[in-house]
Each structure stands twice: as structure tokens, then as C-alpha cells.
Amino acid sequence: MDKESTGAREHMKHCVIDASHHVDANPFQKRGTDIYRCKDCGCIMADVAFDAAQYESDNYYTLIHKTVDNIDREWGFRWHHILNRIQSCGHPASLLDVGAGNGYFVALAGRAFRMQASGIELSEQEIRFARDKVGVELIRQRVEEHEQVYDAVTCFNVIEHVPDPRSFLASVVARIKPGGLLALTTPNPGCIHARIHGIEQWGMVDPPHHINLFSRASLADMLRQEALQPIRYETLSTYINFVRNVDTRHLLLRRLFFQLLRLGNLGADHFFIARKPDAGAAIGVPAHEAGDSSV
């Protein structure tokens, strides 16, 4: 994953989305770390520094499945859904995946969806895995160091790992061509698990792995701060562990629960697609597609 380190994190004094917001002065603790909540936008912030070493483990979740078939069974449904959504918003020809992990999304975008797909990644373990197991050569580079621009840039479950999400998002947006698309996912504090167990017991509050977690409103604010136009929002729940042992070969139960949770915006992850403005952009948004997801 492409995640940035800024050294020791200062004591939480303001919201990472907007310094004028009011942060709750009474944090709760998780694993010895203070967790603060913004009263205005709902952002959840761990007072912890970035730890790069955790992403080099052989057991990191994107490296657990060691064959392409097993990776596809775990990730393929999710990536096909996302790529179909991206294509419905304009059929971009080129794509950059920021924090490309095991590289399977980049492989699928190139081989099955005929995009000119590239990925950047910081973890040497994941770059090696992508090359040896998936057959994809990722670029070891931070997003702010990358110079090429693309019709679409994707960023999946990365922004929650960075101490300064606004600066990170600005660097991501700089890689998008005018009129191009951003597709972004990150854990959803409004998901069914957080609602049932409460935020303090929600598994995604996971320092130092996750540093910042975002409400739908706070994500939309960040996108608009970067002059992006949100054009689609939904939630994703594509893993749904409790049905694994009884599911069909075609993952019918996973697909059913995915759709049910999506209809209520109760899925595990936010999924935004937004467009960078350009009056003469070739990449358009069909009216019938943009209209089915309120943002």
C-alpha cells in the first residue's frame, strides 16, 4: 500500500478534515492509543504515528492468498464490481492504482478490462509478490513522486492509513487528467458491524494500522475541497466471512448480502467515484448512471 510517514504524530488538537471543527476532548482508548472523534464531521482519529514495518509482513492481508485462483476467489468479485462501476462513468483508457497491494486489481484492469493499468506501491514484499505470483510489475514510488497523469486513479483502503489525508488526497488528485475519475474506498463507520457493536468495539478502529476513519460527510467534504465532483456513492461488503463455508461456487450468498447491505448503505466500506472538472472533458457521466446514487 502507498502510505506516507510524517514521523511522530502530534497530540490531537484539531480535525484532520477541517481545523475549524470541534474535536471531542475526551478520547477513548484502543490498544493504548487515544482515539478522538470530530463532533462536526464524524471523523475518527487515532493519536498515533505511522508504522511502515507492519506492511512488510508475509501475513499481511493482501498477501495471505498465495495463488491467482485463491486471490480471484477472495478479491475478484470486488474488483469486477468496481471496474464495472468505473467504466459506467466514462470508459477511461488509462488507470493508476495508488497503493496497489498484491497487484491483482491492476492485472484485472489490464487483462480483462483492456485498460493501460499501472500501480504504485511502497511495500517491497507486495511488489515482489505482485511480480512473482500475479505477473504485474508495480512501481515502488510514493504518489507525490509519480509524474504521469491518467484518465482514472484508484485508491482502495489506503487513505485511512495516512496521518495527513488531505495532503495525500491532493497528491492523488494531481495524478488525474482534467475530466478524469477518482475511485476511492475506505472503511465505513456507518456499517452494520459498527452499528451493532459500537464505534469503540468496531474492528476497523485498529491503531496503528488505521490512523483516520471517515464518515461519508467528511469524505465528501475532502473531495469537494479538491474541487472534485462526487458522482457516485455506495457501500461495499464483498468479503462477508460468515457465509464462506456454505456459499456456492458462484458466491451467490456473498452477492445477496452484498446487495442487501448496499441498499441500506450499511456495507463495510465507503465507495466514492468523483470527477475532476474539465468543461471539455471527453470522459462523461451518463445521466442514467449518475442519477442512481445520491451523494
Side-chain angles (χ1 to χ4, degrees):
M1 302 285 180
D2 186 296
K3 310 171 188 78
E4 303 171 19
S5 175
T6 60
R9 185 167 165 119
E10 292 184 1
H11 182 71
M12 187 63 57
K13 297 175 182 175
H14 58 77
C15 174
V16 296
I17 303 298
D18 188 329
S20 70
H21 286 181
H22 300 88
V23 174
D24 191 339
N26 299 305
F28 66 92
Q29 283 218 333
K30 192 82 173 277
R31 296 179 185 156
T33 298
D34 286 337
I35 310 295
Y36 291 83
R37 285 178 277 197
C38 177
K39 297 178 181 179
D40 294 315
C41 72
C43 189
I44 301 164
M45 300 160 286
D47 193 11
V48 65
F50 174 80
D51 176 15
Q54 61 187 305
Y55 306 108
E56 297 294 346
S57 169
D58 283 332
N59 295 321
Y60 191 61
Y61 78 102
T62 57
L63 303 179
I64 291 173
H65 303 281
K66 303 301 185 185
T67 69
V68 170
D69 285 346
N70 286 340
I71 294 170
D72 182 73
R73 184 168 179 82
E74 178 72 7
W75 298 85
F77 168 45
R78 181 183 184 90
W79 295 151
H80 273 92
H81 177 82
I82 287 174
L83 284 162
N84 281 321
R85 288 294 199 228
I86 291 171
Q87 288 216 322
S88 76
C89 294
H91 297 280
S94 61
L95 178 145
L96 175 70
D97 190 26
V98 177
N102 60 30
Y104 190 65
F105 176 82
V106 174
L108 193 64
R111 296 166 190 170
F113 286 78
R114 300 291 187 265
M115 296 182 188
Q116 295 178 343
S118 302
I120 57 175
E121 175 57 56
L122 289 183
S123 167
E124 293 182 358
Q125 284 281 80
E126 301 210 70
I127 290 172
R128 184 162 49 249
F129 184 94
R131 181 183 61 243
D132 296 345
K133 301 295 184 180
V134 184
V136 168
E137 195 67 46
L138 301 177
I139 303 164
R140 190 168 192 267
Q141 199 171 46
R142 295 181 182 277
V143 64
E144 70 271 20
E145 299 168 341
H146 196 70
E147 296 183 353
Q148 192 170 341
V149 292
Y150 300 81
D151 296 322
V153 174
T154 56
C155 184
F156 301 130
N157 293 73
V158 175
I159 198 168
E160 65 269 20
H161 298 269
V162 303
D164 185 352
R166 287 185 59 183
S167 176
F168 173 77
L169 183 61
S171 297
V172 171
V173 172
R175 307 278 63 80
I176 307 172
K177 293 179 182 179
L181 301 173
L182 170 69
L184 180 147
T185 66
T186 191
N188 171 25
C191 73
I192 192 167
H193 289 104
R195 290 172 183 263
I196 290 173
H197 300 292
I199 289 296
E200 295 187 16
Q201 300 303 316
W202 182 39
M204 294 298 100
V205 179
D206 185 25
H209 185 58
H210 292 159
I211 298 176
N212 298 303
L213 297 162
F214 309 94
S215 66
R216 176 179 175 178
S218 64
L219 275 177
D221 281 348
M222 274 202 298
L223 295 175
R224 293 188 178 103
Q225 287 167 10
E226 293 302 320
L228 294 174
Q229 176 194 3
I231 56 176
R232 180 183 289 278
Y233 173 82
E234 60 186 74
T235 64
L236 303 178
S237 279
T238 49
Y239 307 123
I240 310 178
N241 293 329
F242 74 93
V243 303
R244 287 176 183 269
N245 292 334
V246 294
D247 208 354
T248 69
R249 185 170 64 89
H250 298 292
L251 308 179
L252 293 181
L253 290 177
R254 277 174 70 181
R255 294 173 190 274
L256 172 63
F257 281 100
F258 166 78
Q259 293 295 347
L260 291 173
L261 292 170
R262 187 177 70 86
L263 289 172
N265 286 335
L266 295 172
D269 290 333
H270 299 293
F271 174 32
F272 267 102
I273 298 180
R275 181 170 55 190
K276 191 171 184 175
D278 177 25
I283 296 178
V285 183
H288 70 282
E289 291 291 348
D292 65 3
S293 297
S294 63
V295 294

